[in-house]
Amino acid sequence: MDEPIVRPKAVDSAFQAVLASVVVSAIGTVVTVLLDKALLTRWVTETIDSMPPDQRLDPSAMVGAMQVILGLSIAIFAGLFVLFAVKMRAGRNWARIVITIYTVFGVWSFLTAIASSGAELSLMWSLAEVAFGVTAVIYMFRPESSKYFAEYKERRLRSTRRP
C-alpha cells in the first residue's frame, strides 16, 4: 500500500491564489461590464444598426438578454476555473498547465491594454486578477510543487501498470 502523497503548502497557496483570481475576475466583470447598462446599450445599438431594418429588435430586451448571457458566462467561467483549481490541488498536472496558459494570456492582455489605453480604473480589476494568477503560477512551479505533481503522476502510472 502506498503512503499518501503529502501536498506541499505551495500547492495550497496556489489553489487559494487561483480562487482569489477567479473571484476578482468575476466581480470585476460584473462591475465593469454586466452592470454597465450604458456600455451594453452601446454594444446592442451598434449591433442593431448593422442589421437590416426588418430584423431589428427592441434594444432594451436585447440588453436584458445580453445581461443574462453574460451572467451565465461568468458563472460557467468561474465554475470551470474552480474545477481547474481543485484538480490542480489534487495533483493533476494538466490543470496546472491550463491555469498557467490562462495566466500567460491574462498577463499579455493586461499589458497590451495598459499600453494602448493607460491605467484606466477598469484595468485595476485586471491587475488584481493577473497578480493572483502570477502568484499561483509561481507557487505551482516551486520545486516542492513540481515534486508533488511528479509523485502524483508516478503513482497514477504505477497503478495503471498493475495487473
Side-chain angles (χ1 to χ4, degrees):
M1 175 124 175
D2 290 327
E3 291 182 31
I5 299 172
V6 177
R7 184 175 51 239
K9 177 149 178 45
V11 171
D12 288 331
S13 296
F15 174 76
Q16 293 167 350
V18 170
L19 293 183
S21 177
V22 168
V23 168
V24 168
S25 175
I27 291 172
T29 304
V30 167
V31 169
T32 60
V33 178
L34 190 63
L35 298 179
D36 189 347
K37 278 227 179 217
L39 173 68
L40 294 176
T41 302
R42 190 173 66 243
W43 286 352
V44 166
T45 303
E46 288 171 5
T47 303
I48 289 174
D49 288 345
S50 68
M51 298 171 74
D54 60 327
Q55 294 179 356
R56 294 182 181 172
L57 302 171
D58 176 38
S60 63
M62 286 187 67
V63 167
M66 212 169 163
Q67 285 178 310
V68 169
I69 291 168
L70 283 169
L72 288 173
S73 299
I74 293 166
I76 289 168
F77 169 83
L80 276 174
F81 268 84
V82 168
L83 173 67
F84 297 154
V86 167
K87 292 298 186 180
M88 178 275 301
R89 188 174 186 218
R92 300 293 202 278
N93 195 49
W94 65 264
R96 177 171 73 153
I97 292 168
V98 167
I99 292 167
T100 301
I101 291 170
Y102 175 78
T103 300
V104 167
F105 283 124
V107 168
W108 176 257
S109 174
F110 175 74
L111 292 175
T112 56
I114 287 288
S116 67
S117 67
E120 292 180 359
L121 184 59
S122 63
L123 290 175
M124 293 307 108
W125 290 101
S126 296
L127 174 60
E129 176 188 353
V130 165
F132 282 122
V134 169
T135 300
V137 170
I138 290 168
Y139 279 126
M140 287 187 300
F141 284 91
R142 289 181 53 99
E144 64 270 28
S145 299
S146 293
K147 181 181 175 200
Y148 169 72
F149 286 101
E151 287 175 358
Y152 187 86
K153 181 179 180 179
E154 177 59 32
R155 180 162 299 168
R156 262 197 9 242
L157 290 174
R158 269 189 286 139
S159 70
T160 59
R161 285 189 231 139
R162 290 185 183 158

